[in-house]
Short mmCIF file of all heavy atoms in Angstrom, two decimals:
data_model
loop_
_atom_site.label_atom_id
_atom_site.label_comp_id
_atom_site.label_asym_id
_atom_site.label_seq_id
_atom_site.Cartn_x
_atom_site.Cartn_y
_atom_site.Cartn_z
N ARG A 33 112.86 124.36 119.90
CA ARG A 33 112.15 123.07 119.93
C ARG A 33 113.11 122.02 120.59
O ARG A 33 114.24 121.87 120.18
CB ARG A 33 111.85 122.59 118.49
CG ARG A 33 110.93 123.54 117.77
CD ARG A 33 110.79 123.22 116.29
NE ARG A 33 112.04 123.35 115.60
CZ ARG A 33 112.15 123.29 114.28
NH1 ARG A 33 111.08 123.09 113.51
NH2 ARG A 33 113.37 123.45 113.69
N PHE A 288 103.81 120.19 110.00
CA PHE A 288 103.92 120.06 111.43
C PHE A 288 105.32 120.45 111.97
O PHE A 288 105.70 120.05 113.07
CB PHE A 288 103.57 118.63 111.83
CG PHE A 288 104.08 117.57 110.92
CD1 PHE A 288 105.42 117.28 110.85
CD2 PHE A 288 103.21 116.90 110.09
CE1 PHE A 288 105.91 116.29 109.99
CE2 PHE A 288 103.66 115.89 109.24
CZ PHE A 288 105.02 115.62 109.15
N CYS A 289 106.08 121.14 111.11
CA CYS A 289 107.46 121.42 111.50
C CYS A 289 107.56 122.30 112.78
O CYS A 289 108.56 122.19 113.47
CB CYS A 289 108.17 122.12 110.35
SG CYS A 289 108.29 121.07 108.90
N CYS A 292 108.50 120.22 115.60
CA CYS A 292 109.43 119.15 115.34
C CYS A 292 110.33 118.91 116.57
O CYS A 292 110.90 119.84 117.13
CB CYS A 292 110.33 119.52 114.16
SG CYS A 292 111.47 118.16 113.73
N ARG A 294 112.54 116.03 116.67
CA ARG A 294 113.36 114.85 116.37
C ARG A 294 114.58 115.12 115.49
O ARG A 294 114.63 116.11 114.78
CB ARG A 294 112.47 113.77 115.67
CG ARG A 294 111.75 114.30 114.47
CD ARG A 294 110.48 113.44 114.21
NE ARG A 294 109.56 114.16 113.37
CZ ARG A 294 108.61 114.99 113.86
NH1 ARG A 294 108.51 115.17 115.14
NH2 ARG A 294 107.83 115.66 113.00
N ARG A 296 117.62 112.61 113.29
CA ARG A 296 117.79 111.30 112.71
C ARG A 296 119.27 111.02 112.58
O ARG A 296 120.09 111.89 112.27
CB ARG A 296 117.17 111.22 111.31
CG ARG A 296 115.65 111.30 111.34
CD ARG A 296 115.08 111.57 109.95
NE ARG A 296 113.64 111.39 109.94
CZ ARG A 296 112.78 112.33 110.30
NH1 ARG A 296 113.21 113.53 110.69
NH2 ARG A 296 111.44 112.13 110.22
N ASN A 305 119.52 116.80 110.64
CA ASN A 305 118.63 117.70 111.37
C ASN A 305 117.17 117.48 110.96
O ASN A 305 116.26 117.60 111.71
CB ASN A 305 118.97 119.14 111.03
CG ASN A 305 119.95 119.71 112.05
OD1 ASN A 305 119.90 119.36 113.21
ND2 ASN A 305 120.80 120.58 111.57
N CYS A 306 117.04 117.19 109.64
CA CYS A 306 115.67 117.19 109.07
C CYS A 306 115.55 116.15 107.94
O CYS A 306 116.45 116.02 107.10
CB CYS A 306 115.40 118.62 108.51
SG CYS A 306 113.90 118.78 107.59
N LEU A 307 114.39 115.49 107.90
CA LEU A 307 114.14 114.52 106.86
C LEU A 307 114.21 115.18 105.47
O LEU A 307 114.62 114.56 104.48
CB LEU A 307 112.75 113.86 107.04
CG LEU A 307 112.25 112.92 106.00
CD1 LEU A 307 113.08 111.67 105.98
CD2 LEU A 307 110.78 112.62 106.15
N ALA A 308 113.83 116.43 105.42
CA ALA A 308 113.59 117.11 104.13
C ALA A 308 114.79 117.97 103.69
O ALA A 308 114.70 118.69 102.70
CB ALA A 308 112.34 118.03 104.30
N LYS A 338 119.79 123.80 112.52
CA LYS A 338 118.52 123.26 112.13
C LYS A 338 117.59 124.36 111.66
O LYS A 338 117.43 125.34 112.40
CB LYS A 338 117.88 122.40 113.24
CG LYS A 338 116.54 121.79 112.85
CD LYS A 338 116.13 120.60 113.68
CE LYS A 338 114.81 120.07 113.17
NZ LYS A 338 114.51 118.71 113.71
N GLN A 339 117.00 124.17 110.52
CA GLN A 339 116.05 125.17 109.97
C GLN A 339 114.66 124.98 110.56
O GLN A 339 114.37 123.99 111.19
CB GLN A 339 115.96 124.96 108.44
CG GLN A 339 117.31 125.02 107.72
CD GLN A 339 117.91 126.42 107.81
OE1 GLN A 339 117.27 127.40 107.51
NE2 GLN A 339 119.16 126.45 108.28
N ALA A 340 113.85 125.99 110.31
CA ALA A 340 112.52 125.98 110.91
C ALA A 340 111.62 124.85 110.32
O ALA A 340 110.76 124.30 111.03
CB ALA A 340 111.78 127.31 110.70
N GLY A 341 111.83 124.54 109.03
CA GLY A 341 111.01 123.48 108.47
C GLY A 341 111.39 123.07 107.05
O GLY A 341 112.43 123.49 106.56
N HIS A 342 110.53 122.32 106.41
CA HIS A 342 110.85 121.85 105.07
C HIS A 342 110.41 122.86 103.99
O HIS A 342 109.71 123.85 104.31
CB HIS A 342 110.22 120.48 104.81
CG HIS A 342 108.74 120.47 104.70
ND1 HIS A 342 108.04 121.12 103.68
CD2 HIS A 342 107.77 119.94 105.45
CE1 HIS A 342 106.75 120.97 103.83
NE2 HIS A 342 106.54 120.24 104.91
S1 SF4 B 401 110.34 118.14 107.73
FE1 SF4 B 401 112.14 118.50 108.98
S2 SF4 B 401 111.62 120.15 110.37
FE2 SF4 B 401 109.74 119.42 109.49
S3 SF4 B 401 108.95 117.93 110.91
FE3 SF4 B 401 110.14 116.78 109.43
S4 SF4 B 401 112.24 116.67 110.31
FE4 SF4 B 401 111.08 118.30 111.39
#
Side-chain angles (χ1 to χ4, degrees):
R33 299 170 296 189
F288 39 71
C289 298
C292 182
R294 52 204 161 273
R296 293 167 169 85
N305 268 326
C306 171
L307 175 68
K338 181 161 181 165
Q339 304 293 309
H342 69 65

